Amino acid sequence: MHLFQIRRWVLESPPIEWAVLQLRELLLGALRQGPVPRHVAFVMDGNRRFAKSHRMETVEGHNLGFEALAKVLEVCYKSGVKVVTVYAFSIENFKRSKYEVDGLMNMAKVKLAQMLQHGDLLDRYGVSIRVSGQKELIKPDLLADIERATTSTSRNGDAILNVCFPYTSHEEITTAIRNTVLDYSKPLPVHQRPFSESHIKHTIRSRHLSVAASRIHDRSRSPSPGGASDMEDSTSSSTTLNADSPPLDSTLTPKVDDDTNEELRSKYPDPESITSEILNDHMYTAGLPPLDLLIRTSGVERLSDFMLWQCHENTDIVFLKCLWPEFDLWSFLPVLVEWQWRRKKDEERERVARPAARRVVKPKST
């Protein structure tokens, strides 16, 4: 019998389970007294290696990984975490054997159904499910179940479970840029067009030319002895109204000048206004709080194309050696405690630096 199975059997015995539950509640209550990360992400790595080391089917390893996820989610939401993002399936995973891919898809279908039928965890903490990724790669029957799960939990507003399935960060960033380009290729509504200098100049010029053309037309219909001088006066008058206007004979055939091009460009959003915030609004995580903590199990120290855009200077990235099915409260608790300790240190440094920044050095009196 493997050590993992012995440990699991001991922890699931009624007296030990009760004692562990009481201790867990005590520790989580203590954690809630300090700062808690609002957004935590997990790379659930190590299911296959765990199954191989315990002589199980690969799908059974993934099944145990899902059970570990359910326990970790309860710890997160009970401690005050608002958003949990999990790397459930990479687009690159489609390169694995058809047997494993089909097994993962079938397991996702079964677990979604179980989660909705016995949704104690979702209802207790008010969790809504979001699925982020290239959904067109998902089979229609599974996609229908996903849509049903997201719709049935959409009214829950206390916490979020963001499932990346199937997902890669490169695909997310590419999609966000593509959607931003599409938005900036659409003309602005009329009421949003800016009052540019070229737009005003073009309007005044058009009105002057219209008046001049009307005068020429009137003179040509009712000639007089002084017609030539009147024509000159009309031309002179129109020229005086707008000194920049070209001669009348050249305005009879309109030309598209630089000002007109600038006006046409002003009908579309300015590409120079694209910022990181605008791109962020087109990401799958739009509207979610910044990523505070990212954890990867199995001892592999890389992000594997996950949350590359969302990781920022204040994101703590932690790599643990335990495999994902082994990940539990006792693996997670030290990470949360260390995160709290770092945040308290940062807050102390900010409190010390704030008065120093406000201090004004008075000049010496002479």
Side-chain angles (χ1 to χ4, degrees):
M1 184 178 292
H2 290 281
L3 181 61
F4 172 79
Q5 294 172 327
I6 297 175
R7 179 170 171 264
R8 187 177 182 184
W9 176 78
V10 171
L11 291 177
E12 289 179 354
S13 61
I16 300 298
E17 188 176 8
W18 180 86
V20 170
L21 181 61
Q22 298 303 315
L23 180 59
R24 187 185 68 171
E25 294 297 323
L26 180 64
L27 292 174
L28 292 179
L31 279 175
R32 285 195 296 268
Q33 303 307 313
V36 177
R38 292 188 301 164
H39 189 175
V40 179
F42 295 98
V43 181
M44 305 180 294
D45 192 20
N47 293 336
R48 293 197 299 172
R49 270 177 282 170
F50 181 85
K52 184 177 181 181
S53 63
H54 291 79
R55 300 179 182 177
M56 301 176 180
E57 289 286 340
T58 302
V59 176
E60 182 61 23
H62 290 299
N63 190 38
L64 291 174
F66 182 85
E67 293 181 7
L69 173 62
K71 295 177 182 178
V72 170
L73 287 178
E74 185 166 12
V75 172
C76 287
Y77 297 135
K78 186 178 283 291
S79 62
V81 177
K82 295 301 181 183
V83 181
V84 177
T85 298
V86 295
Y87 201 1
F89 193 86
S90 170
I91 295 176
E92 298 297 320
N93 288 347
F94 282 110
K95 298 178 181 179
R96 296 180 179 179
S97 67
K98 186 177 184 302
Y99 173 77
E100 183 178 354
V101 172
D102 290 343
L104 286 170
M105 295 298 173
N106 292 333
M107 187 183 68
K109 186 179 179 67
V110 171
K111 295 303 180 181
L112 273 176
Q114 291 178 355
M115 192 177 293
L116 295 179
Q117 291 174 2
H118 311 284
D120 297 338
L121 177 66
L122 303 180
D123 296 336
R124 190 184 312 129
Y125 300 104
V127 181
S128 63
I129 298 176
R130 290 175 53 169
V131 177
S132 304
Q134 206 166 348
K135 296 180 182 178
E136 57 270 20
L137 299 178
I138 303 175
K139 293 182 179 180
D141 57 339
L142 177 56
L143 185 60
D145 291 340
I146 290 174
E147 296 295 336
R148 192 178 304 112
T150 55
T151 302
S152 62
T153 61
S154 59
R155 295 183 180 180
N156 297 338
D158 295 333
I160 295 174
L161 171 59
N162 184 35
V163 183
C164 295
F165 180 95
Y167 170 94
T168 61
S169 194
H170 277 75
E171 185 274 330
E172 178 188 20
I173 296 173
T174 302
T175 301
I177 294 174
R178 184 187 302 117
N179 292 335
T180 303
V181 171
L182 289 176
D183 288 347
Y184 274 69
S185 301
K186 298 175 182 177
L188 291 170
V190 176
H191 66 277
Q192 291 186 1
R193 291 178 183 173
F195 290 96
S196 63
E197 181 181 353
S198 61
H199 177 77
I200 297 174
K201 184 192 299 184
H202 181 78
T203 302
I204 295 175
R205 177 180 297 178
S206 299
R207 290 178 180 177
H208 289 170
L209 295 180
S210 176
V211 171
S214 177
R215 290 180 178 179
I216 294 173
H217 181 68
D218 292 342
R219 298 304 183 193
S220 63
R221 293 184 61 182
S222 52
S224 61
S229 61
D230 289 342
M231 181 72 72
E232 292 175 357
D233 292 342
S234 175
T235 305
S236 175
S237 174
S238 65
T239 305
T240 304
L241 286 173
N242 190 349
D244 294 335
S245 301
L248 286 176
D249 56 350
S250 63
T251 60
L252 297 178
T253 56
K255 295 181 180 180
V256 180
D257 54 12
D258 293 338
D259 293 335
T260 303
N261 286 331
E262 184 177 347
E263 184 195 5
L264 292 175
R265 287 195 297 269
S266 68
K267 296 179 181 179
Y268 294 86
D270 185 7
E272 296 294 333
S273 66
I274 297 177
T275 62
S276 60
E277 288 77 14
I278 291 177
L279 290 177
N280 193 60
D281 291 339
H282 289 83
M283 297 290 168
Y284 294 141
T285 54
L288 300 183
L291 182 61
D292 296 314
L293 179 61
L294 188 149
I295 299 174
R296 176 168 187 162
T297 55
S298 81
V300 177
E301 299 185 0
R302 62 173 182 268
L303 296 181
S304 295
D305 211 356
F306 177 61
M307 304 291 280
L308 300 183
W309 177 268
Q310 289 78 8
C311 289
H312 54 88
E313 65 274 11
N314 293 323
T315 302
D316 285 4
I317 301 176
V318 180
F319 300 104
L320 301 177
K321 293 184 178 181
C322 66
L323 303 177
W324 177 252
E326 301 169 337
F327 186 75
D328 55 11
L329 171 65
W330 313 112
S331 304
F332 192 23
L333 188 62
V335 177
L336 289 177
V337 171
E338 184 178 0
W339 186 90
Q340 286 189 340
W341 180 80
R342 290 182 179 179
R343 288 299 171 271
K344 290 179 180 179
K345 287 293 183 181
D346 292 341
E347 291 175 0
E348 290 177 3
R349 282 196 293 266
E350 290 178 1
R351 281 197 296 267
V352 172
R354 198 175 296 122
R358 293 177 180 176
R359 191 179 300 120
V360 178
V361 179
K362 296 181 179 181
K364 294 181 179 180
S365 56
T366 55

